[in-house]
Amino acid sequence: MKTLASLSAVLVLAGAGAASAQEARISWADLNLSTAAGAAAFDQRVESAARELCRNARRPGSRLGDRSFCQAAVRREAIRQLPGAAQVDYAASRTTVTY
């Protein structure tokens, strides 16, 4: 099954701390990341996981909540954890070609 490993490390980066670390698994086995539709579906899954993981996130070193910082970290980590070929396919499908 093509599923990304745990994204719990992102919460530590985002300041939630190890005590409240959560885990998200994002399946992409049914997606063709080389297509715009497949990449968009992957983005939706990542966004859904990010919203769940970042509900109470705080920026490192701050008491203020910062969900957008956490959600951006989740997106970066999800893409980083894709295998190399899948990362290339995803990036290529996100690029607009103009002539």
Side-chain angles (χ1 to χ4, degrees):
M1 175 194 264
K2 296 178 182 177
T3 302
L4 298 179
S6 166
L7 296 176
S8 61
V10 171
L11 290 182
V12 175
L13 285 173
S20 63
Q22 297 177 8
E23 184 175 295
R25 296 193 179 272
I26 303 167
S27 176
W28 56 278
D30 60 328
L31 303 176
N32 181 351
L33 297 181
S34 66
T35 66
F42 178 74
D43 288 341
Q44 289 176 338
R45 292 175 188 183
V46 171
E47 291 303 316
S48 177
R51 280 192 304 274
E52 182 67 25
L53 289 171
C54 297
R55 280 183 303 201
N56 300 314
R58 296 192 185 345
R59 185 178 288 267
S62 174
R63 292 183 182 190
L64 299 174
D66 192 347
R67 280 183 279 185
S68 62
F69 175 81
C70 176
Q71 289 173 342
V74 169
R75 283 190 294 276
R76 284 190 304 271
E77 182 65 11
I79 293 167
R80 186 193 70 77
Q81 288 190 26
L82 287 171
Q87 284 183 23
V88 170
D89 287 344
Y90 175 79
S93 70
R94 307 310 290 157
T95 307
T96 304
V97 178
T98 57
Y99 296 97

